[in-house]
């Protein structure tokens, strides 16, 4: 058989990306994202207070997480009314309880461990 040079022939069509090439491109894209992320780390820290840092204690991370969740629940009326129905209380009482819980959402802070 002769090799076909026509564009509609399967041998002449460009092949799809090889698996190895796709992996290389994906890892290079991942590398570029990490570089741009590290360049903007300080900006992200200033913009989003709760993002934390590598030395952030577990308790502080949990407090940030709980406060963000409670703020979202209070800010979205439909979700707030859902919680109010589940608790059997009024929406205003549920909002007040959530706002009070934001003061110490995970209880009192742990001791520093010093004498």
């Amino acid at each position: 058989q002769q090799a076909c040079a026509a564009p509609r022939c399967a041998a002449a069509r460009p092949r799809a990306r090889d698996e190895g090439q796709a992996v290389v491109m994906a890892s290079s894209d991942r590398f570029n994202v990490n570089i741009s992320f590290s360049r903007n780390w300080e900006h992200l820290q200033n913009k989003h207070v709760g993002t934390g840092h590598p030395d952030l204690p577990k308790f502080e991370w949990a407090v940030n997480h709980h406060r963000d969740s409670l703020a979202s629940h209070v800010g979205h009326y439909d979700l707030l009314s859902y919680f109010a129905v589940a608790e059997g209380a009024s929406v205003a009482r549920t909002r007040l309880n959530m706002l009070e819980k934001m003061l110490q959402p995970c209880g009192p802070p742990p001791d520093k461990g010093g004498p």
Side-chain angles (χ1 to χ4, degrees):
Q1 293 181 350
Q2 291 180 339
C4 179
R8 64 181 173 263
C9 180
R13 274 188 244 137
R15 290 186 342 200
R17 290 195 297 191
D18 293 333
E19 289 180 22
Q21 184 181 6
V23 170
V24 170
M25 291 184 74
S27 65
S28 68
D29 291 343
R30 213 175 308 125
F31 180 70
N32 289 336
V33 168
N34 288 337
I35 287 175
S36 66
F37 181 75
S38 64
R39 288 180 185 158
N40 296 324
W41 180 254
E42 188 173 323
H43 173 70
L44 287 171
Q45 290 287 89
N46 292 334
K47 186 175 178 185
H48 305 287
V49 177
T51 54
H53 53 81
D55 298 327
L56 188 70
K58 184 178 180 180
F59 179 78
E60 288 184 30
W61 179 86
V63 166
N64 287 336
H65 182 72
H66 283 262
R67 282 187 181 148
D68 288 346
S69 297
L70 288 167
S72 178
H73 299 334
V74 169
H76 291 91
Y77 183 81
D78 292 338
L79 193 55
L80 184 65
S81 63
Y82 175 80
F83 286 121
V85 168
E87 292 176 359
S90 67
V91 174
R93 173 55 62 185
T94 304
R95 176 182 286 123
L96 179 66
N97 291 341
M98 287 186 176
L99 290 174
E100 287 177 348
K101 192 170 183 180
M102 287 176 70
L103 294 175
Q104 287 189 340
C106 298
D111 294 333
K112 298 293 181 187

